[in-house]
Amino acid sequence: MCGIIGYSGSRQAAPIILEGLAALEYRGYDSAGIAVLDPDQRLAVHKKSGKLTNLHNALSNGLPKGVSGIGHTRWATHGGPTDFNAHPHADCNNEIIVVHNGIVENYLEIKRELIETGHEFSSQTDAECIPHLIESYLAQEYSLHDAVRKTARRIKGANAVVAISARDPGKLVAFRLGNAGGLVVGYGEGEHLLASDLPALLPHTRDVAYLAGGEMAALDEHDVEYFDLDGGPVTKSTMHVAYDSLSASIGEYPHFMLKEIHEQPEAVINALRGRIVFDDATVPFDEVLLSDEQVAQIDRVVFVGMGTSLHAAMVGRTWMEALARIPSEYDNSSEFRYRDPVIDDRTLVVSISQSGETADTLAAMEEAMNKGALQITLCNYPGTQTTRIADSTLQIRAGLEVAVASSKTFMSSLTALYLLAIHLGARRGVLDPARRRKLVSELARLPDMIGAMLTNETQYKALAQEFGRRADFLYLGRGINFPLAMEGAIKLKEISYIHAEGYPAGEMKHGPISLIDENMPVVALIPSDALHDKMLSNINEVKARGGTVIAVASEGDTDIAERADHVLYVPQASELINPMLMAVPMQLLAYHIAVWRGTDVDKPRNLAKSVTVE
C-alpha cells in the first residue's frame, strides 16, 4: 500500500510532504523519498530505504527548498528495498520525477524499447520506466500533460502515478488506471495537494475530490483540472469531510465493506510485494522458513480455517495439489481438533485466520503441534497468537478491515495461498519454469482484472431490487469454484439475513433440487473451464423446474446469456485463478442486497470480527 503525497502552493513543500508521509505510515512501507522543485527550477531528490526516520536523518542538514514537490513510501514489488529502488524515480536528465503505486504489467517490453533508444536505467523497478516514457514523449514536443496522458495510455495494469517536471514548474500531473491505489485531491487556500489517502490531506484541507480509474488531474497552486485518458474534460464536485478518524478512513464510500471491496486490487498488490521476482518469474517467499529437506519430505498438506478462512482453505487445497502435487485436504478447525487427526512430522498444516486469534484455529494448531506437524499460518497482523505457534507466518497484508464480513482479507488470503503453492511446487521440482512464468504473468494482471469488475455496480443494484425480498438463495459451483459458492452464500447470510446455501452443483440432484421453484434464485458459478458444460447441464436442470438463474460467467461466453435470466461477467482467465475473480461478484451481490434491505452492513447482528471463544 504505497503512500503518495504531492503539494503545490506558496508554502515550503518539504515539511508538508514529510508530514503527509508520516500520516501514511500505517499503510506499511520499506523505503521513503521526496522530490522538491527548488527556486532554480532544479529537482532535488532524496530517498532512503528503511523507516521514515532514515529519510529525516538524511535531511538533518536542512530540508530542500521549494514550493512544489512529491513524496512516496514504497513497499517493494519489483526490486528489493534499497536506496536506488526507492521512489521517486527520474528520467535521464533528472527533469521528470515520478512516484507510483501499482504494477506496470508490460514494463519489460517498455524498458527494452527505451534502452534501445538510449535511455539509461538506475533501478530494478517497474516504476522507472514511467519517467523515461514521459521523457520520450516530451522529446516529441508534447506538453507535460499530454506526455503523461500518452504514458497512461501505454502502460498496462492497475496503477496510480504522480509526475512533476522542471519544464513545467509548480504543476503536478496524476493519473489512475483501474482501482489500485487511490488518489484524492485536496483544495486549500492558494494551494492544492494530492495524496493516496485522506489522512495526509486533512491537516490542510477538508475539501477533496477523488480520482476514478481512467482519470487524470493537473494541478498547481491556482487550479485543478480533470481529464479522461483521451484528453476530454471531466467535471468533478468536491466533498467536504469532517476532521475525524472515521471520515478519514471511510473516505468517499457509504460503508466500510464497499470501501474494502474496492481496496482489493491494492490488497493483491500488497500480498505480492517482495514475494515475486517478475523478471525471472520466481517466487522466493522468504517467509516460508522450511528447509529444502523439510519441503521435500512433506507427504500431505492439511488446510484449516473457519468461515471465510475455511473457504480460502478449500481453494488452497486444490492449488496445492495442482501446482505442488502434494496430496492435500481441508478441515474446519473446530472439527479437526476433535477427531484425533492422523498427522506427523511429514505433514504440513496450513492455518488461516485473518485475526490470528480465532480460538478454534488456535486449538487446531496446538493439536498439530503436539503431533509434530510442520506449520505455516496466514494472518493479517504480526505478533498474534497463531504466529507464536507456527513455524512460518505469511502476513496477508490486507491492511485494516473494519467491516465484520471479510472481503479483502479473503482475497489477500487467496493470493498468499496461490503464491505458497507456486513456491512449494518450484522447490519440489514439479513446476517447470515455463508454467511458472505463465502463472506469475497472470498474477501481475490480477489487480487490473479485479479493478475492471469494480467500475460499474449498476447491475448489482438492479439485482438487489429484483431479489431483495426473497427468503432463500441457492449458490452452485463445481471444482475449484465450489468454495466460492459457499463464500457467496455466507456473505449473503451474514449481511442481508437471507437464508442461503452453497452446494457443489453435482450434488444438486441429491436433495437441493426439490427446493427449486420460481421463488428460489440460483446463483450459478460457470466460468470458462473444464467443467463449464457440466455447470451448463445444472443450469438447464434449474430452468426446467421454473428456477431463476443468476449466472457468473467469463467474458465472451455468449451461450450463457440464452440460458440464464441474468449474467454477471468476470474477466477471461485461467481455471486456477478464476476463484479470485469469482469472489468479487459474490461480495457485490451480497452487499447491494443488504443495502437495499436496510441492514447494518458493516456490523451485522450477532457477528464479531474475531471469534476468540469456542
Side-chain angles (χ1 to χ4, degrees):
M1 296 171 70
C2 299
I4 290 174
I5 176 75
Y7 175 83
S8 182
S10 57
R11 292 190 285 165
Q12 289 297 305
I16 296 169
I17 293 169
L18 289 169
E19 178 188 55
L21 293 181
L24 297 171
E25 280 191 291
Y26 72 93
R27 296 167 66 88
Y29 66 100
D30 51 39
S31 59
I34 65 170
V36 173
L37 187 65
D38 69 22
D40 296 323
Q41 312 307 326
R42 294 174 302 189
L43 284 161
V45 179
H46 302 271
K47 49 190 185 177
K48 282 289 179 182
S49 61
K51 294 299 181 183
L52 194 55
T53 52
N54 294 351
L55 180 60
H56 279 283
N57 292 338
L59 297 170
S60 59
N61 292 329
L63 299 181
K65 303 297 182 184
V67 294
S68 63
I70 53 179
H72 189 268
T73 50
R74 175 184 187 246
W75 201 348
T77 49
H78 298 69
T82 63
D83 289 356
F84 61 84
N85 283 333
H87 295 216
H89 286 294
D91 67 333
C92 294
N93 299 310
N94 207 50
E95 291 184 340
I96 302 146
I97 304 293
V98 161
V99 290
H100 163 242
N101 188 12
I103 294 176
V104 180
E105 295 172 15
N106 57 336
Y107 88 98
L108 280 174
E109 170 194 336
I110 294 171
K111 184 174 181 178
R112 291 189 190 105
E113 290 178 10
L114 291 166
I115 289 173
E116 287 175 2
T117 58
H119 290 262
E120 296 181 1
F121 285 72
S122 59
S123 79
Q124 301 163 326
T125 69
D126 57 334
E128 194 185 355
C129 74
I130 298 172
H132 288 281
L133 196 53
I134 295 171
E135 179 187 19
S136 70
Y137 288 122
L138 286 173
Q140 299 173 45
E141 304 302 323
Y142 286 102
S143 66
L144 176 63
H145 171 267
D146 283 335
V148 174
R149 182 176 62 83
K150 290 186 75 66
T151 296
R153 295 296 297 267
R154 177 68 199 280
I155 68 176
K156 296 179 181 178
N159 296 279
V161 172
V162 183
I164 187 171
S165 173
R167 300 187 186 192
D168 206 338
K171 178 165 285 187
L172 278 63
V173 183
F175 64 83
R176 187 181 180 197
L177 304 177
N179 274 42
L183 283 177
V184 55
V185 176
Y187 291 74
E189 292 292 331
E191 61 186 15
H192 291 99
L193 303 94
L194 187 148
S196 50
D197 213 347
L198 269 177
L201 302 182
L202 289 183
H204 309 286
T205 181
R206 300 184 193 179
D207 296 312
V208 301
Y210 287 85
L211 218 58
E215 292 182 346
M216 296 181 61
L219 61 89
D220 57 23
E221 63 178 302
H222 305 294
D223 196 17
V224 184
E225 296 179 286
Y226 298 97
F227 306 89
D228 59 29
L229 297 186
D230 293 323
V234 172
T235 301
K236 286 242 179 233
S237 299
T238 61
M239 61 181 291
H240 187 79
V241 295
Y243 188 32
D244 61 73
S245 58
L246 181 65
S247 297
S249 298
I250 202 167
E252 62 185 323
Y253 297 96
H255 299 97
F256 277 103
M257 184 176 180
L258 185 61
K259 176 178 185 281
E260 288 153 8
I261 290 171
H262 278 257
E263 287 176 338
Q264 288 179 122
E266 191 167 8
V268 170
I269 293 172
N270 295 335
L272 297 178
R273 292 186 190 282
R275 291 166 171 168
I276 290 181
V277 180
F278 286 93
D279 291 4
D280 61 4
T282 54
V283 183
F285 224 153
D286 296 334
E287 299 105 307
V288 179
L289 304 178
L290 302 179
S291 69
D292 290 342
E293 182 181 3
Q294 287 175 314
V295 169
Q297 289 180 352
I298 295 170
D299 61 12
R300 186 163 62 111
V301 180
V302 180
F303 294 87
V304 295
M306 302 285 288
T308 288
S309 291
L310 176 60
H311 302 153
M314 294 166 72
V315 178
R317 184 276 303 265
T318 300
W319 283 335
M320 189 63 69
E321 292 195 337
L323 299 175
R325 306 306 297 157
I326 307 174
S328 301
E329 61 186 76
Y330 60 83
D331 206 344
N332 183 294
S333 298
S334 64
E335 296 297 322
F336 178 84
R337 62 183 290 199
Y338 290 120
R339 65 177 177 84
D340 191 20
V342 179
I343 55 177
D344 56 26
D345 59 0
R346 298 172 68 89
T347 306
L348 172 63
V349 174
V350 179
S351 55
I352 306 159
S353 168
Q354 71 84 24
S355 68
E357 304 290 344
T358 305
D360 286 302
T361 299
L362 285 166
M365 293 177 69
E366 289 171 359
E367 177 74 9
M369 180 177 64
N370 292 337
K371 292 178 179 292
L374 300 169
Q375 293 204 59
I376 294 175
T377 193
L378 277 69
C379 70
N380 200 27
Y381 305 101
T384 60
Q385 292 290 336
T386 57
T387 69
R388 298 171 194 172
I389 298 174
D391 302 295
S392 302
T393 298
L394 310 183
Q395 296 292 331
I396 64 172
R397 303 173 178 172
L400 178 65
E401 188 176 67
V402 176
V404 169
S406 299
S407 55
K408 66 176 180 175
T409 53
F410 178 61
M411 187 69 72
S412 297
S413 295
L414 289 178
T415 306
L417 288 169
Y418 197 58
L419 290 174
L420 178 62
I422 296 171
H423 171 82
L424 293 180
R427 288 183 67 180
R428 289 170 66 89
V430 298
L431 195 58
D432 64 79
R435 190 177 185 203
R436 199 175 63 233
R437 278 193 295 273
K438 191 172 181 180
L439 295 169
V440 168
S441 176
E442 189 170 43
L443 269 175
R445 293 175 46 231
L446 181 60
D448 198 33
M449 289 192 283
I450 295 171
M453 291 187 285
L454 298 170
T455 57
N456 183 4
E457 296 176 35
T458 304
Q459 58 191 334
Y460 296 98
K461 295 176 182 178
L463 289 172
Q465 289 182 345
E466 182 172 349
F467 296 104
R469 288 191 176 91
R470 300 298 175 92
D472 303 279
F473 269 71
L474 179 63
Y475 287 72
L476 298 176
R478 278 184 178 264
I480 197 171
N481 293 298
F482 159 54
L484 272 296
M486 298 280 288
E487 178 62 15
I490 198 175
K491 282 290 161 289
L492 193 67
K493 282 185 279 196
E494 285 176 323
I495 63 174
S496 76
Y497 314 146
I498 294 174
H499 172 253
E501 296 296 335
Y503 256 84
E507 183 79 1
M508 184 179 68
K509 286 189 285 190
H510 297 263
I513 197 167
S514 66
L515 299 172
I516 293 172
D517 59 19
E518 66 276 6
N519 296 313
M520 170 76 84
V522 176
V523 180
L525 281 63
I526 180 170
S528 297
D529 60 16
L531 295 172
H532 180 275
D533 290 345
K534 298 286 187 183
M535 276 301 304
L536 205 56
S537 295
N538 294 128
I539 288 173
N540 290 336
E541 290 166 350
V542 171
K543 292 301 296 177
R545 287 154 181 82
T548 302
V549 174
I550 303 169
V552 186
S554 301
E555 291 172 350
D557 186 349
T558 55
D559 291 339
I560 192 63
E562 299 176 4
R563 313 286 184 95
D565 298 278
H566 304 275
V567 184
L568 300 170
Y569 285 106
V570 301
Q572 187 73 241
S574 71
E575 184 170 332
L576 288 179
I577 214 167
N578 270 326
M580 292 144 110
L581 302 178
M582 289 283 160
V584 177
M586 299 300 96
Q587 296 162 355
L588 289 174
L589 183 62
Y591 170 80
H592 284 289
I593 289 176
V595 169
W596 188 89
R597 288 168 66 90
T599 64
D600 190 343
V601 173
D602 288 334
K603 298 177 182 178
R605 66 191 183 203
N606 303 331
L607 294 177
K609 187 66 180 171
S610 176
V611 182
T612 57
V613 295
E614 186 178 357

